[in-house]
Amino acid sequence: VLGEKIEEEKSQAIEEYTSKYPALYYNAFQEGSSEEISKFDDINLERIFKDKNRVIILSGDFWGIQNFIFDGLSTNRATKVIRSRSALVQIVNFVISEIVNKEFEGDTVLIGAGKFTILANHREKWKEELEKIQKKLDSYFFENFFGRSGFVLSGTETEIEVLKQGKFEDDSISKIFGRLASENEKGKYRKFDFEKRENFLINPFEKGGEPCEFCGLRVSKKDNSCEICSSHIDLGKELTTNRYMRVFKNGGIPVLKFGGDSYGVEFYKNFKRLEETPYENLENEIGIFNILESTKENVNAEYLQKSPNLRYWSLASAVPKDENGKILDFDEIRGTSSGLMALKADVDTMGDTFREFLEDEKIPFKKFLRLSREMDFFFSDYVSNLIKTEYPKIYVVFTGGDDVFVLGEWKEVIEFVKNLREKFHIYSNRTTTLSMGLTMFKSGSLKYISEETDDAEKRAKAVEDENGNSRDGIDIFGYSMKFPLFLEIEERWKNIWEKVPTEKRTSSFIYRLIKFAEMSQKSKNFIEKVDDDFSFENFQWKSKLTHNFRRNVEGSDEVLKEFSDFIENYGEKAIPSIMMQIYRDREKPE
Ligand SMILES: [Zn+2]
C-alpha cells in the first residue's frame, strides 16, 4: 500500500511538474516519450476542464521584445545584459501569468516565448478586471520603457465544450483564436493610450544626469548604468552561476513593479542554500525552479525527494564564459577568428499547420497545446542544452517557441546550423523544416544586426524549389538557397579546393573565383531573362578562369574543368563557400 502511495505521489509530482511549463519533457528522442507527453496533456486538461461550463480564455503577449532586449546596445559589453533581458522576458511573462491566474483562479495551459494562455471559469465583469491589471502593467512599462515595449492582455469567452470538441453550437476554436488575435492587435495598437497620458513626453534627463551606457534611455545611477540595466547585469551574473531560482513578491532582484507590489527573483547555488533561506511570508513565493538541469534522473529524484513545488525551467544561460565564470564579451568570443555570425532560424509553415488545424473544426484544443508545447520543448530545452554542451563559443540570445536567435564565433555557428537542421528533422519525423538567416559582423549596433538577420531569414524563407515550395532555406552573406544545395556546394568546394597545391592556394585566386561566380550568374540571368543588363564581359568568365588557372595554379586540365563546372553549376550560390575559405585561410597561423 505504501508502494502504491509513493507511485501515486510520484505521478502527481510529475503531473504538477509538467503541467505548467512547456519545456518539461525529457528524452524527447527516446521512444515512447510522445505518448508520455500526450498522457500528461490528457491528465492536465481533464483536471482543468473538470467542473467547468462557461469559460474565459485569457492570453498575454510581451510585445516589442526586440526593443526590450536591444535598445541602445552595441556589441561592446552587450553580453552582460542581452541574455538576462531575454530571460527577463520569460520571467516577466511568468509573473504576469501568475498575477492573472491568481485574480481569475485560472490555470495556465500554455506558456513560453513571451506569451501565455490561461483558462478560467466565466465570471461577470471579467473584462473590467482584466483592464485593471492591464492599466498597472501599462504604467510600469510606460514609465520604465517609454512605450518601446509592453505587455498586452486579451480575453474572450466560450463554452468548455468548444475546447473539448473543437466546435460546439455556433462557436469553434478557430473563432476563439480569431477573436483573441484581434483583441491582441487592438491592445498593441492602443498601446498606452498616449493621448490620455498627461505627461507622455517624459524626458528622463530633465533634471540632468548622464544617459546609461547600456540602454541610453534612462539616467545613469552608478557604474554608468541605470537602475534597470544594473539589475539586468546582476541578473545576468546570477543566471550563469546558479542552479535554483525563486520568484517572489517584495524582494530579490526586481523584475516587475505591479501597482504597489514589486516582484523579484533570488538565486541559489544548491538545494541546501535554497532550503536554508527562510521566508517571512511563504505566501509571497510564486515559483521555485531548477534552471540548470534537464535530465530525467537528476530532476525527478531531486524533485521528489526535496520539494513538491520545484519545477524545471531551462532558463540558465548558455553563454560563453572564461575559466573563472566571467561572461565573455563579443570581442573575447571572436578571439582570433575573422568574425561573429548572427543566426535566426524558425520553423517553416507553422502558420499553415495551425491554419489547417483551425480549418478542421473537429480538432480539439489538446492538439493545439500539444503542437505548441512540443515545438517549444525543442527550442527552449533541447537546443539550449545542445549549445551549452557542444558549442562553447555561441551566445544564446533567445531560443524557445518556434525560433532561435544566437550570436557566436562564425565557424561554430556554421557547424551548429548544420547540426540544428539535422536534429530538427529527426525531432519532427522529417515532416517540418527550418529556415535560417545568417549575417556576419565584427561589432556594431545589435538592433541593426538583429534586423539584418531578420531580413536574411525572410529571404531564406522565400527561396522556392521547382514545385514552388518555400521551406528549408538558408541565406548566408546575402545569398539564398535551399539548405541541401548549400551542403552540396560546401562538400564539392572542399573537394575541389583540396586539389590545389597548398602553395598555390592564394587569396588573389580565390577573389578571382568569386568574381567569376558573379559573372557566370549574371550571364545566366541574362539568358534566362531574369536580368536585362547585357555585358559581353560576363560571358567571358570561362576563358578568364582558364587563363588565370593556367598562369597561377598550374594544375591539370581535369582540375580546371572541375572549377569551371563548379562555377557554371552554382553561379553566385558558390560564393558563400568560397568566402568561408577566405576567412578560414586568414585565420591560419602564419
Ligand atoms: Zn540602462
Side-chain angles (χ1 to χ4, degrees), residues 85 212 214-216 218 225-226 228-229:
R85 285 184 185 173
C212 161
F214 285 86
C215 64
R218 295 171 288 260
S225 69
C226 67
I228 287 191
C229 292

Side-chain angles (χ1 to χ4, degrees), residues 268-491:
Y268 313 92
K269 286 220 162 33
N270 52 49
F271 205 86
K272 207 159 167 287
R273 304 271 320 164
L274 177 75
E275 283 177 321
E276 280 166 5
T277 311
Y279 269 88
E280 279 123 35
N281 189 357
L282 267 175
E283 273 175 27
N284 282 341
E285 178 181 296
I286 59 170
I288 310 175
F289 302 95
N290 175 338
I291 56 169
L292 190 68
E293 220 71 55
S294 74
T295 55
K296 195 168 192 167
E297 306 72 41
N298 275 334
V299 172
N300 279 347
E302 203 168 66
Y303 169 56
L304 292 168
Q305 282 167 21
K306 305 282 171 83
S307 167
N309 293 319
L310 182 64
R311 287 169 288 185
Y312 170 65
W313 194 4
S314 178
L315 208 62
S317 308
V319 299
K321 284 177 283 186
D322 67 12
E323 58 270 22
N324 302 319
K326 185 186 93 67
I327 302 173
L328 299 181
D329 63 28
F330 282 119
D331 275 346
E332 290 166 325
I333 294 170
R334 178 158 63 87
T336 55
S337 170
S338 302
L340 296 161
M341 190 85 99
L343 160 74
K344 285 194 184 187
D346 84 348
V347 179
D348 293 320
T349 63
M350 267 303 270
D352 288 348
T353 311
F354 276 109
R355 246 182 307 264
E356 273 168 37
F357 273 23
L358 290 174
E359 275 163 21
D360 183 349
E361 293 193 324
K362 283 186 217 70
I363 288 182
F365 195 52
K366 187 189 159 195
K367 209 160 170 176
F368 289 94
L369 288 191
R370 177 79 187 279
L371 181 62
S372 309
R373 287 162 59 121
E374 285 191 19
M375 212 48 100
D376 187 72
F377 163 77
F378 180 81
F379 289 100
S380 67
D381 195 295
Y382 181 76
V383 168
S384 67
N385 279 297
L386 183 73
I387 292 172
K388 244 183 265 176
T389 49
E390 291 182 31
Y391 302 95
K393 288 180 192 163
I394 291 184
Y395 186 102
V396 176
V397 177
F398 173 79
T399 180
D402 69 344
D403 61 349
V404 52
F405 180 14
V406 301
L407 305 164
E409 193 278 327
W410 77 273
K411 294 187 292 299
E412 212 158 88
V413 173
I414 297 283
E415 287 311 306
F416 168 66
V417 154
K418 293 173 184 171
N419 194 2
L420 172 70
R421 176 176 174 271
E422 191 51 36
K423 293 291 181 344
F424 186 73
H425 280 196
I426 297 168
Y427 185 73
S428 66
N429 291 324
R430 306 204 178 262
T431 55
T432 320
T433 51
L434 297 172
S435 284
M436 324 217 195
L438 295 120
T439 49
M440 200 151 168
F441 65 98
K442 272 188 176 166
S443 58
S445 143
L446 280 160
K447 189 85 183 298
Y448 177 76
I449 293 162
S450 170
E451 282 165 2
E452 287 287 295
T453 317
D454 272 337
D455 290 345
E457 193 194 88
K458 277 184 202 126
R459 288 194 299 269
K461 271 206 188 299
V463 187
E464 291 184 353
D465 63 14
E466 55 275 15
N467 302 317
N469 288 322
S470 54
R471 39 154 71 193
D472 200 14
I474 179 171
D475 183 280
I476 173 167
F477 303 125
Y479 299 96
S480 311
M481 65 198 92
K482 291 287 176 194
F483 211 102
L485 182 64
F486 171 69
L487 293 176
E488 180 188 311
I489 295 171
E490 277 275 274
E491 184 71 30

Side-chain angles (χ1 to χ4, degrees), residues 513 516 541-549 560 563-564:
L513 287 176
F516 299 147
W541 71 266
K542 231 181 235 186
S543 63
K544 288 191 171 182
L545 169 68
T546 306
H547 177 75
N548 202 285
F549 182 85
L560 170 62
F563 271 107
S564 170

Side-chain angles (χ1 to χ4, degrees), residues 492-501 504-507 509-510 513 553 563 581 585 588:
R492 203 152 151 204
W493 167 255
K494 274 177 195 156
N495 241 311
I496 300 173
W497 193 239
E498 267 175 20
K499 290 177 184 164
V500 176
K504 305 283 182 191
R505 295 179 192 172
T506 60
S507 52
F509 179 59
I510 302 192
L513 287 176
V553 181
F563 271 107
Q581 188 67 51
D585 289 350
K588 270 187 206 138

Side-chain angles (χ1 to χ4, degrees), residues 26-297:
Y26 309 105
N27 306 322
F29 289 91
Q30 275 178 15
E31 229 178 310
S33 71
S34 67
E35 277 172 36
E36 269 176 60
I37 296 171
S38 189
K39 212 175 120 197
F40 289 141
D41 275 346
D42 277 343
I43 297 169
N44 191 34
L45 279 184
E46 223 169 86
R47 178 180 62 80
I48 295 172
F49 284 176
K50 216 170 95 186
D51 306 324
K52 284 192 174 76
N53 295 307
R54 193 147 184 89
V55 291
I56 42 180
I57 303 159
L58 305 167
S59 78
D61 185 6
F62 200 128
W63 60 265
I65 293 178
Q66 299 255 16
N67 294 338
F68 184 82
I69 296 177
F70 295 121
D71 261 346
L73 276 191
S74 69
T75 43
N76 178 30
R77 296 195 300 162
T79 55
K80 281 194 178 129
V81 291
I82 295 176
R83 182 56 206 152
S84 61
R85 285 184 185 173
S86 166
L88 207 52
V89 170
Q90 309 277 78
I91 298 169
V92 167
N93 184 47
F94 166 72
V95 170
I96 297 172
S97 80
E98 290 298 302
I99 289 169
V100 174
N101 262 338
K102 203 165 177 210
E103 184 67 36
F104 291 92
E105 292 163 38
D107 284 289
T108 305
V109 287
L110 257 186
I111 184 162
K115 291 181 173 58
F116 64 74
T117 308
I118 283 172
L119 195 67
N121 266 318
H122 180 264
R123 56 166 86 177
E124 296 302 317
K125 299 198 172 168
W126 64 266
K127 283 183 186 164
E128 287 84 347
E129 284 176 47
L130 199 65
E131 188 57 31
K132 264 187 215 158
I133 299 176
Q134 182 72 63
K135 286 242 161 72
K136 287 185 190 173
L137 294 176
D138 284 354
S139 292
Y140 172 74
F141 278 96
F142 185 81
E143 277 154 29
N144 294 287
F145 303 95
F146 314 111
R148 311 229 354 112
S149 58
F151 204 94
V152 60
L153 299 170
S154 25
T156 186
E157 52 183 88
T158 191
E159 293 299 319
I160 194 76
E161 286 304 314
V162 180
L163 299 181
K164 285 183 185 167
Q165 300 172 28
K167 186 179 189 285
F168 180 72
E169 290 177 349
D170 57 352
D171 205 2
S172 68
I173 289 177
S174 165
K175 287 180 184 163
I176 291 172
F177 278 101
R179 292 200 295 274
L180 281 175
S182 90
E183 284 297 308
N184 187 290
E185 274 312 298
K186 261 192 257 167
K188 280 189 204 175
Y189 182 73
R190 182 190 59 100
K191 291 197 173 159
F192 297 104
D193 276 342
F194 283 123
E195 68 279 10
K196 286 189 196 153
R197 277 181 191 272
E198 287 167 13
N199 55 342
F200 102 84
L201 281 173
I202 293 177
N203 176 7
F205 305 105
E206 214 167 38
K207 291 174 191 153
E210 290 296 309
C212 161
E213 281 189 13
F214 285 86
C215 64
L217 290 174
R218 295 171 288 260
V219 180
S220 165
K221 290 276 157 75
K222 56 159 196 176
D223 300 334
N224 306 320
S225 69
C226 67
E227 268 166 18
I228 287 191
C229 292
S230 168
S231 76
H232 294 169
I233 296 166
D234 292 343
L235 185 66
K237 279 184 212 150
E238 300 283 3
L239 279 167
T240 58
T241 48
N242 289 290
R243 187 172 179 144
Y244 296 99
M245 178 181 83
R246 195 197 293 264
V247 187
F248 62 108
K249 215 155 85 175
N250 302 332
I253 298 172
V255 295
L256 175 75
K257 284 206 177 71
F258 181 75
D261 294 325
S262 167
Y263 289 84
V265 286
E266 213 162 64
F267 293 84
Y268 313 92
K269 286 220 162 33
N270 52 49
F271 205 86
K272 207 159 167 287
R273 304 271 320 164
L274 177 75
E275 283 177 321
E276 280 166 5
T277 311
Y279 269 88
E280 279 123 35
N281 189 357
L282 267 175
E283 273 175 27
N284 282 341
E285 178 181 296
I286 59 170
I288 310 175
F289 302 95
N290 175 338
I291 56 169
L292 190 68
E293 220 71 55
S294 74
T295 55
K296 195 168 192 167
E297 306 72 41

